[in-house]
Amino acid sequence: MKPEYKPLKELNDKTQKYKTKVKVIHKSTPQQSPNKTRYQRLLLKDDEGFTMKGALFDTDIEKYAEALERNGEYELSNATITAVPPQYASKPNEYSMIINARTEINPLSIDPTVLGPHYQSIATVPRDPFNTELVDILGVLLYVSGTKPIRRPHGGEDLVREMFLIDHSYDRPFTVSLWNELLRTQAELLDSWEESYHVVGILALTGRSYKGFTLSTTMSSVIVPNPEGVKANALRAWAADHHALLAEHRTKLIGIHSSSETASITTVQQINQRKASNTWQEERFNLKVTLPTASVENLRLYLGCSKCGRRTNATVNTTFKCPFCNVQDAQSLPRPIFKVDAVDDSGSMALTLFAREVEFLMGLSSIEMWKLKENGNEDVFAEKMHELRQKNVALQIGPTLALTTSKVLNWTVRSIAFE
């Protein structure tokens, strides 16, 4: 008889005896809390697509090291379900599954081929920031950036450090962004690699549209400092035969990163003359411009998904499942788009500005703009546009995601300020 599995969405801290079928989507490296408790995080997913956080603590981490593998499917019975404290919850009424001695684990058709590294060449990585499949890659390390703090929209900050890799399949460096805990735990290792063309493996990466398209670390990500196997050995041989090319790319990367910290100004004409073939995703250019075409007619407001930004018909500030990025608890938020010409003495270029930049220029939040529109107070926008046309603006621009995905050169604003 086929077992009766309880879906994850029906489990809570009142649930007693049950069986559920899950796949381990993420399995983090063990960590230690401020009070010295060791823990390991899991993310579980059932056949209906619902997810639940999970955790192991202290000695259970080693006991269950091989009992629960990332990508493995399992029947789990009677694990303890606890409510996630509000300060750590990513959605209302969230629950977590604690794996311990009372948990019964039954492996379900684990295919050994889905476990362990599955290294892809850089050229074959899907250039889709909403692709949910995790990626393992091999690469020759060209350069490691310094650590940068990134402010979160609603307070707090994340730490990021970028690794630039290359292999035989791709003609320019590819960015891997290391975030938070992995960055902290591997800082000494990363510093030791700064001067070498080291072949490294990085497991369980996900696509992300940070500074163009990058692969970013997840809670399951692991750095493999000395990868083994045919692919790794072949890449080492390729690196040894292409030392001059690697040195050339490394020199350009160092130049890009050092110049991004200075205030050298580029003209609009120089930007218009650039091509996809001579521009890298990491490059940034500073402009001093005016916005003489700023007008209400070029400002558009719509409701979009809080994750991917795609348009939705959901009511403002409501929760819904996004059909584009498949986020179960996306929010419907106001999003502005503003099309304007940036002009200096050398020429003009068309730019499309989005939420953060539009909010800065208008001095209004997206929700404030939405309320003005809904209440028919759009005269405020006309006043703001008049003020904008009189101001000098400092922009830093860089290539959009299309350079990596399609080798098409379009520009996006990375930072903006008034002169």
Side-chain angles (χ1 to χ4, degrees), residues 6 10-18 79 81 102:
K6 206 170 187 67
E10 295 181 12
L11 299 180
N12 56 51
D13 52 1
K14 304 290 193 299
T15 307
Q16 296 297 321
K17 296 181 179 180
Y18 68 90
I81 307 296
R102 62 170 284 179

Side-chain angles (χ1 to χ4, degrees), residues 289-294 382-393 418-419:
V289 298
T290 58
L291 308 175
T293 62
E383 295 173 10
K384 296 283 186 181
M385 296 298 176
H386 176 73
E387 295 172 6
L388 274 182
R389 291 193 291 270
Q390 317 307 314
K391 293 185 176 182
N392 294 317
V393 181
F418 290 126
E419 285 284 285

Side-chain angles (χ1 to χ4, degrees), residues 1-2 44 58 91 103 133 141 151 157 203 231 244 246 251 274 356 390 405:
M1 181 183 295
K2 189 175 181 180
L44 311 173
D58 297 321
K91 57 187 176 183
T103 309
E133 295 296 320
L141 180 62
R151 290 190 176 277
E157 66 179 23
L203 312 184
K231 291 182 179 180
L246 300 181
T251 299
R274 294 195 70 88
R356 183 183 61 182
Q390 317 307 314
T405 58

Side-chain angles (χ1 to χ4, degrees), residues 272-290:
N272 288 336
Q273 290 173 344
R274 294 195 70 88
K275 300 182 184 301
S277 58
N278 64 6
T279 304
W280 284 7
Q281 188 73 65
E282 298 77 23
E283 291 187 270
R284 301 290 177 264
F285 301 94
N286 298 309
L287 297 168
K288 289 187 177 181
V289 298
T290 58

Side-chain angles (χ1 to χ4, degrees), residues 111-132:
D111 181 354
T113 63
V114 306
L115 306 177
H118 294 277
Y119 292 122
Q120 291 185 231
S121 63
I122 291 174
T124 62
V125 172
R127 266 56 170 181
D128 179 2
F130 303 112
N131 178 38
T132 58

